[in-house]
Amino acid sequence: MSIVLVPIGKLDKEVNEALKDTLSKVFNRRVSVGKAMPEPDYAFNEKRNQYLSTAILSVLMEEKEYATYEKVLGIVDHDLYVPELNFVFGGAIRKVAVISLARLRQGFYGLQEDSRLFYKRTLTEAVHELGHTCGLGHCRNPQCVMFFSNSLMDTDRKGSEFCPVCKNKLY
Ligand SMILES: [Zn+2]
Ligand SMILES: [Zn+2]
């Protein structure tokens, strides 16, 4: 019963360390940092200058290194997309999830960096995608972490907590 965090490509180590303990408490599971994966060049779309999230999820799913873990969360510092959307903050299929850090920094929007806010957003996205791997769908409560984030405004408003209904389904 454990979760593995997988750094994909160039990534600040502090992110994993910061997420580890909190995710362990939220999901009541052991969380470890797994072997890093190389840059996901296979997922790069030159026209969009973005990476296809589902391609990364497939590779994570097939990687034997992580097969013994109950949940896998890939963390990547590139902008992600799926064909029908301009971008995605992350994605999940079955036991495997991925989050992108690219749009969680104030600097992405030409604003001054704020490490506290960046960490809060990272945690929110990580809990949301891992929530999907636990079988939770999107929630209609805008304060719940499982609410669908269309923008950072949604992410910042909802925060990283489950609403009582989702919490109930989770445990
Ligand atoms: Zn979602
Ligand atoms: Zn909810």
Side-chain angles (χ1 to χ4, degrees):
M1 294 284 276
S2 62
I3 298 171
V4 62
L5 306 181
V6 179
I8 303 170
K10 199 170 162 283
L11 192 79
D12 192 343
K13 277 199 182 74
E14 276 174 42
V15 176
N16 308 312
E17 292 306 318
L19 283 176
K20 229 169 75 172
D21 293 344
T22 317
L23 288 177
S24 174
K25 281 185 202 115
V26 172
F27 290 95
N28 197 24
R29 283 172 171 88
R30 255 189 46 175
V31 178
S32 48
V33 178
K35 203 181 101 188
M37 289 192 77
E39 289 291 343
D41 297 334
Y42 54 84
F44 186 62
N45 182 317
E46 215 165 302
K47 262 195 205 138
R48 298 185 58 137
N49 196 27
Q50 288 174 309
Y51 291 73
L52 182 63
S53 64
T54 46
I56 297 177
L57 287 170
S58 301
V59 167
L60 281 174
M61 209 168 328
E62 281 155 26
E63 178 58 59
K64 287 188 182 68
E65 180 83 22
Y66 316 122
T68 55
Y69 294 92
E70 193 194 358
K71 317 264 175 224
V72 182
L73 177 66
I75 305 170
V76 63
D77 208 346
H78 297 299
D79 200 20
L80 300 178
Y81 79 98
V82 289
E84 51 289 357
L85 295 172
N86 287 334
F87 74 92
V88 289
F89 288 119
I93 304 174
R94 296 198 287 279
K95 64 170 253 183
V96 174
V98 66
I99 58 167
S100 160
L101 305 181
R103 290 177 188 257
L104 305 182
R105 287 191 193 86
Q106 290 291 77
F108 186 89
Y109 310 93
L111 301 169
Q112 175 143 31
E113 294 295 356
D114 179 337
S115 58
R116 193 198 55 83
L117 187 56
F118 170 68
Y119 171 66
K120 181 176 172 264
R121 288 167 174 169
T122 304
L123 180 66
T124 301
E125 294 308 325
V127 172
H128 179 97
E129 297 307 340
L130 282 172
H132 282 317
T133 68
C134 295
L136 292 178
H138 285 143
C139 179
R140 276 189 292 181
N141 182 339
Q143 309 295 334
C144 174
V145 68
M146 293 315 293
F147 188 80
F148 175 72
S149 273
N150 238 331
S151 70
L152 264 192
M153 239 162 45
D154 295 323
T155 306
D156 289 344
R157 186 197 50 242
K158 70 185 185 180
S160 60
E161 302 272 328
F162 292 103
C163 75
V165 179
C166 289
K167 207 175 234 172
N168 219 7
K169 285 185 203 158
L170 191 65
Y171 302 118

